[in-house]
Amino acid sequence: MMPSAGFEVASASVAQLLVAWRHTAEVYSDPELLNALTRDHTDDYGPAPDPRDAA
């Protein structure tokens, strides 16, 4: 019996949830990375280059 389309969507959603959870756990397990991602970034790094110019 083939799974229904709804089951495939639910499986994809659960898979994405697990991937996101794993990345969150990786950040929280590395104090240096956690600090880099959660500190206040008040510096202005200037204008960003136009991505259409990168080819």
Side-chain angles (χ1 to χ4, degrees):
M1 180 176 195
M2 302 241 344
S4 68
F7 178 76
E8 291 172 7
V9 170
S11 294
S13 297
V14 170
Q16 180 58 42
L17 175 72
L18 293 174
V19 168
W21 174 83
R22 184 177 62 201
H23 291 308
T24 301
E26 289 170 352
V27 169
Y28 276 93
S29 69
D30 182 342
E32 190 173 321
L33 183 56
L34 180 62
N35 183 43
L37 294 174
T38 58
R39 70 180 172 86
D40 188 18
H41 297 279
T42 57
D43 297 335
D44 183 0
Y45 298 103
D50 190 330
R52 294 172 291 191
D53 295 337

